[in-house]
Amino acid sequence: MSEEFLNQDVRYVKGVGEKRADVWADAHGVRTVRDLLHFYPRRYLDRTTVTPVGRLQESPDPVTVVGTVQSTSVVPGKNQKRFELILQGEQGGRMKCTWFQGVWWVRKAFEEGDQVAFHGKVEKYGRWFSMTHPDFDTLNDEGALLDTGRIVPLYPGGEAMSNVGLTSRSVRRILYTLFKEHGLKLKETLPDWMVETYDLMEGRVALRAIHFPKSQAELADAKRRLKFEELFYIQLLLAQMRQEQEEVAGPAFEDPDEHTRTFVREVLPFELTGAQKRSLRQVIEDTQSGVQMNRLLQGDVGSGKTVVAVAAMMHAYDSGYQSAFMAPTELLAEQHYQNLTEYLRPMGLMPHLLVGGQPKSEREAILKDLKEGRAPVAVGTHALIQDEVEFNNLGLAVVDEQHRFGVAQRAEMFEKGTQPHMLLMTATPIPRSLAMTLYGDLDVSKIDEMPPGRKPVETRLRAEKRRGEVYAFLRDRLEQGEQAYVVYPLVEESEKMDLKDAESGAEDLQEQFPDFTVGLAHGQLPSDQTEQTMQRFKAGEIDILVATTVIEVGVDVPNATVMMIEHAERFGLSQLHQLRGRVGRSDQQSYCILMAGYKRSQEAKQRLQAMVRTNDGFEISETDLQIRGAGDFFGTRQSGMPDLKIADITEDTEILEDARDAAFTLVEQDPHLRADEHEHLRHRYEDSYAEHGLGFARVG
Ligand code: ADP
Ligand code: MG
């Protein structure tokens, strides 16, 4: 197959045609012959992977069954209709499959007597083993393939695809004919040394085997090769970005001087931990090198990232540069502003605050100060990176909770004026595999040590009926002069009800605790009011702060020792952990109480159990990644996670490491891919990854 042929429109492939091509492009982005070859099966069937219906057991992991449709019916329910199907197993046994959604479509998809394969989690209802919304394929006369010991590929489908007859079966035929008629003269794109070093299957063999594997072993090799290739091009991009960065000039800071020293030695009432010192040293070294710094400062909530950032900002000031500190929300920006004010005051400095919604005259004065260099330290939200904001000589930009910023915002920050040094902070410990992909171009400093004297937070899971007990406990803590947070979930879809929940929760608490002061903070209240409530909480005038997740990040009230989370089953795991990080900020014992109803999904159970099991942010985030999958971990689009067709970052860590190793070795040897033996690779990289890659590159 020539390059030209690979780029040909898929509609001209035998068995496709215009109508199918349109649907294929819409549903799965298949436009060219190359796309078609990379339209991988979503699953395979063979005798070794099919579970006999008669031997089913409840299992959280999905299983595959094959059988004959015995009967189907649309059952009128209380609120909604459902579609039920009884499957007769080939070797006996029966099971039920149920759909609550797409009832009319699935009804059309099956007929009695059809031979079908289902794939899904098995649950037991009464005497029935059952799957809800299983993935399915109609096999009919193809079921025989299984009996001949073949491995049958099943392709991604859906309603639109099946409407134009693009079933697994017809896709298989189209591909089969394509391979047969055009043979496989694909060029090997990866250089020999790479294929050898990493023991890879040849590209053309892998492409054929992924569709028509002769054995499970061959399939495994094919998958490994294709995953490697997919990950390799991403890593190649990162390797190149990294190399380019090494060539970008940044302001050369001088040796840390008076303000840096005063801040660390006199202003801070404590000594930096070893991990903080090490991180600060790394930052100082970077900013003195003359090359732009791109460093990620990673540390669990409460590990003390902010003070490291402030020291770095003082270093910028000592070197004659301005610095900016960007927070994800206005509330946080304001809190950082107050903290910074306290830190800087003893040195006779004042930070500037820039957020949205400041009066025009005030805003203009601030902008003028930034531009004319009278503002050594600016704190703000993304308002800091709007077009009209100009700095006189920005030397360092700190981005707090960087994963909360949209991709575009972070990118804009990079473009601001001459290249300032970038210090990106995150409290989300990123599993190594994700870090390699998301931040593969950044240097990383880890604060892996908590300030001394901290006691691990004790976490308890409590059901509604024990609320009385929980309140008694809360009263004890309050009577000791300690403070508490009570947090309610807030999601867009049910925002009004959620707010009501929080409001009535606050009222109830005030009734239950008449001799203590209850405050309420949430995003719908005017921001100065919320800010005032926070201030009063900080000052100890409010004992119980009821809030929605506005307090998720950044709030620092060491005297608060209880974090009570209502409807804990509705929060994500990382979010729960972040919330828990609001307590345990002093040497007092702190507590996290998760209030959860009994109606919990499997995932919710896993999340709550993880919280009770561990305080370790790293373990939490690994678990979170496993529960949610990589795409969802940060939200694909926001994080700029590349769209992967076959590799899975959570599972394919070893392949990822190999791919990374290969890409970095390559760039080291041949930075611009000019060597003859890298010609095919270069073309492939430029052709199909350049566009995709650029989008990814913008993410950083
Ligand atoms: P992070 O931003 O990483 O969540 P912060 O910088 O807000 O953490 O620090 C959390 C709390 O710990 C703050 O009250 C801070 O003053 C305090 N802190 C930071 N470093 C130390 C240290 N080395 N020793 C004692 N307390 C510290
Ligand atoms: Mg912080």
Side-chain angles (χ1 to χ4, degrees), residues 270-282 297 303-304 307-308 445-452:
F270 44 74
E271 187 168 347
L272 294 181
T273 62
Q276 283 171 317
K277 283 183 192 160
R278 187 182 63 230
S279 302
L280 182 58
R281 256 200 312 276
Q282 288 167 336
L297 182 58
S303 61
V307 290
V308 173
S445 293
K446 277 193 189 145
I447 306 190
D448 49 10
E449 178 186 354
M450 283 289 177

Side-chain angles (χ1 to χ4, degrees), residues 45 58 122 153 206 228-229 239 256 295 310 361 514 524 636 649 659 685:
L45 274 188
E58 269 194 293
V122 180
F228 178 95
E229 193 162 347
R295 184 169 285 277
V310 178
S361 57
Q524 291 301 302
T636 306
I649 289 177
Y685 179 55

Side-chain angles (χ1 to χ4, degrees), residues 46 53 62 114 180 237 373:
D46 82 358
V53 175
D114 276 350
K180 204 164 132 197
L237 182 80

Side-chain angles (χ1 to χ4, degrees), residues 536-557:
R536 290 182 56 211
F537 187 62
K538 210 168 175 174
E541 293 161 26
I542 288 175
D543 305 291
I544 305 176
L545 179 66
V546 178
T548 56
T549 36
V550 291
I551 60 158
E552 186 189 338
V553 281
V555 184
D556 188 25
V557 182

Side-chain angles (χ1 to χ4, degrees), residues 305-306 336 400-401 554:
K305 294 180 293 295
T306 312
H336 279 307
D400 194 21
E401 304 299 342

Side-chain angles (χ1 to χ4, degrees), residues 373-586:
R374 278 189 304 274
V377 169
V379 189
T381 54
H382 52 265
L384 276 176
I385 50 170
Q386 275 149 12
D387 279 345
E388 78 249 41
V389 182
E390 273 178 62
F391 288 87
N392 182 39
N393 60 348
L394 184 62
L396 171 70
V398 178
V399 186
D400 194 21
E401 304 299 342
Q402 84 83 27
H403 65 276
R404 303 193 125 222
F405 283 96
V407 169
Q409 288 168 339
R410 185 173 146 195
E412 269 173 83
M413 196 111 197
F414 277 100
E415 283 163 16
K416 202 90 206 157
T418 55
Q419 299 297 318
H421 295 296
M422 299 292 305
L423 183 61
L424 310 164
M425 305 204 290
T426 183
T428 307
I430 304 148
R432 188 172 142 66
S433 57
L434 261 192
M436 275 192 289
T437 308
L438 282 175
Y439 304 113
D441 59 321
L442 302 178
D443 292 304
V444 178
S445 293
K446 277 193 189 145
I447 306 190
D448 49 10
E449 178 186 354
M450 283 289 177
R454 298 276 168 89
K455 297 192 181 76
V457 179
E458 279 183 31
T459 303
R460 301 269 182 276
L461 181 56
R462 290 288 177 259
E464 192 53 42
K465 67 170 194 229
R466 296 179 70 178
R467 184 171 290 274
E469 228 174 285
V470 170
Y471 279 176
F473 174 79
L474 188 56
R475 176 172 299 281
D476 265 2
R477 300 325 313 158
L478 296 174
E479 278 168 358
Q480 299 297 315
E482 298 166 20
Q483 292 163 281
Y485 297 98
V486 178
V487 178
Y488 282 82
L490 179 69
V491 294
E492 241 170 87
E493 301 89 71
S494 54
E495 187 175 315
K496 276 212 178 105
M497 256 172 53
D498 286 346
L499 287 175
K500 260 217 185 110
D501 239 25
E503 275 161 16
S504 63
E507 282 167 25
D508 283 355
L509 278 165
Q510 189 63 81
E511 268 173 42
Q512 294 279 339
F513 298 91
D515 35 351
F516 294 100
T517 312
V518 178
L520 177 67
H522 60 66
Q524 291 301 302
L525 295 170
S527 66
D528 50 337
Q529 191 180 328
T530 303
E531 182 50 33
Q532 212 189 356
T533 306
M534 297 298 222
Q535 276 309 310
R536 290 182 56 211
F537 187 62
K538 210 168 175 174
E541 293 161 26
I542 288 175
D543 305 291
I544 305 176
L545 179 66
V546 178
T548 56
T549 36
V550 291
I551 60 158
E552 186 189 338
V553 281
V555 184
D556 188 25
V557 182
N559 189 48
T561 58
V562 181
M563 168 61 66
M564 181 168 166
I565 303 176
E566 299 281 355
H567 305 292
E569 74 279 0
R570 288 176 53 195
F571 288 86
L573 184 51
S574 296
Q575 217 180 1
L576 288 171
H577 180 67
Q578 294 275 327
L579 285 169
R580 176 166 60 185
R582 298 302 115 212
V583 296
R585 300 188 150 233
S586 68

